Amino acid sequence: MIWNFVKMHGAGNDFVVLDGVRQSLHVTPERARALADRHFGVGADQILLVENPSHPEADFRYRIFNADGSEVEHCGNGARCFVKFVHEQGLSHRNPLRAEISTGLLTLDSTPDGNVSVDMGPTHFDPKDVHFDTDGLESTTQGTDTLWLLPIPGHGNIALSLVAVSNPHAVQIVDDIDTAPVAQIGPIIESHPRFKQRVNAGFMQISDRHTIQLRVFERGVGETLACGTGACAAAVAGIRRGLLDSPVLVHTRGGPLGIAWDGQRVIMSGPAVTVFAGQIDIDALTEQLTTKDPLTP
Ligand SMILES: N[C@H](CCC[C@H](N)C(=O)O)C(=O)O
């Protein structure tokens, strides 16, 4: 079966975007992994599937699959690419658009400068909102935030802010973003048994009260050049810790994102870029990746 797709990115967080409105597509974990594969497939951090909505107030529904095939709640950078895709593909010219995701409705507003402003929805801070087991764990407070002290062998107790922006995030402050142990402890936190649905691990360096630098080891992907929900989570965590004031400029390795938080909902603004369009035989691709490695006896 031939699938049409568009390759896009938001601040370097890259996506394969699929039109499930005019094509009949069934995205399975295997197919998502195959499309995301950077050697045998198209290559992407996430796969975005645009569909007709089930919510009466939504223009479209969009679903998100990580590179490991897991379907997840939200994708901030993807939301900006979604609205550019819908407009460029002529699926709708409405602006702002209302997008239905698994946790509710988003409002997406394409601005004349080519950026997109996204109402990312509500923020939550209870450990249960990020499916975190606090049993027997020490915590402390900073400002209005609760920091959970997670022991990581060789790295002591890591003070984590827990923030749900639909997706689960665990944010820590580091002194130097360039030497932060993202590769060493990102995977440990991402798959730590206390996070029952895994977690996105954010590493934030504070530059001033309105500026941070951020790296995120994303759940189901690894370190990405940018993470939209991660930028929201880090900015909100810094504000709650009393270290930042809204709005916050978040410098990621893929470019800057603007975050504003009113204490309830978080608004993110940033770029969305179309790289190329293509077609792929999804069955041949998935078959290639699920057959045995020819080098293995
Ligand atoms: N890896 C995330 C999903 C993608 C989020 C990120 N790409 C964004 O822009 O928000 C998770 O499993 O929760």
Side-chain angles (χ1 to χ4, degrees), residues 8 12-13 18 39 42 67 86 118 121 150 173 184 186 223 227 243 260 278:
M8 303 183 78
N13 184 197
L18 300 167
H39 299 284
V42 179
V86 164
V118 184
L150 187 66
I173 291 179
Q184 293 79 7
E223 182 173 5
C227 179
L243 305 174

Side-chain angles (χ1 to χ4, degrees), residues 13 46 66 72 74-77 167-168 200 218-219 221 227-229:
N13 184 197
Q46 279 90 24
N66 280 323
V72 291
H74 196 342
C75 180
N77 291 318
N167 299 343
N200 298 284
E218 282 199 35
R219 177 178 62 169
V221 185
C227 179
T229 50

Side-chain angles (χ1 to χ4, degrees), residues 27-145:
V27 178
T28 62
E30 294 75 21
R31 287 175 166 177
R33 282 194 294 273
L35 285 168
D37 190 291
R38 293 195 183 280
H39 299 284
F40 295 96
V42 179
D45 293 328
Q46 279 90 24
I47 311 303
L48 307 182
L49 173 60
V50 180
E51 297 181 320
N52 285 313
S54 52
H55 191 293
E57 293 173 32
D59 297 299
F60 296 95
R61 176 184 180 206
Y62 98 101
R63 297 169 64 190
I64 306 105
F65 300 82
N66 280 323
D68 71 351
S70 57
E71 184 169 1
V72 291
E73 304 90 338
H74 196 342
C75 180
N77 291 318
R80 301 196 312 273
C81 290
F82 155 80
V83 66
K84 183 176 175 79
F85 176 85
V86 164
H87 287 162
E88 285 185 343
Q89 296 293 312
L91 286 169
S92 171
H93 295 289
R94 186 172 299 167
N95 189 44
L97 275 178
R98 300 298 301 276
E100 173 189 357
I101 57 173
S102 59
T103 54
L105 284 180
L106 307 176
T107 301
L108 313 166
D109 191 356
S110 277
T111 48
D113 62 2
N115 281 320
V116 179
S117 172
V118 184
D119 174 348
M120 294 282 288
T123 48
H124 300 289
F125 310 104
D126 190 294
K128 72 173 180 344
D129 295 315
V130 296
H131 314 286
F132 183 66
D133 174 9
T134 62
D135 184 31
L137 202 61
E138 285 184 44
S139 66
T140 184
T141 58
Q142 185 178 16
T144 61
D145 200 6

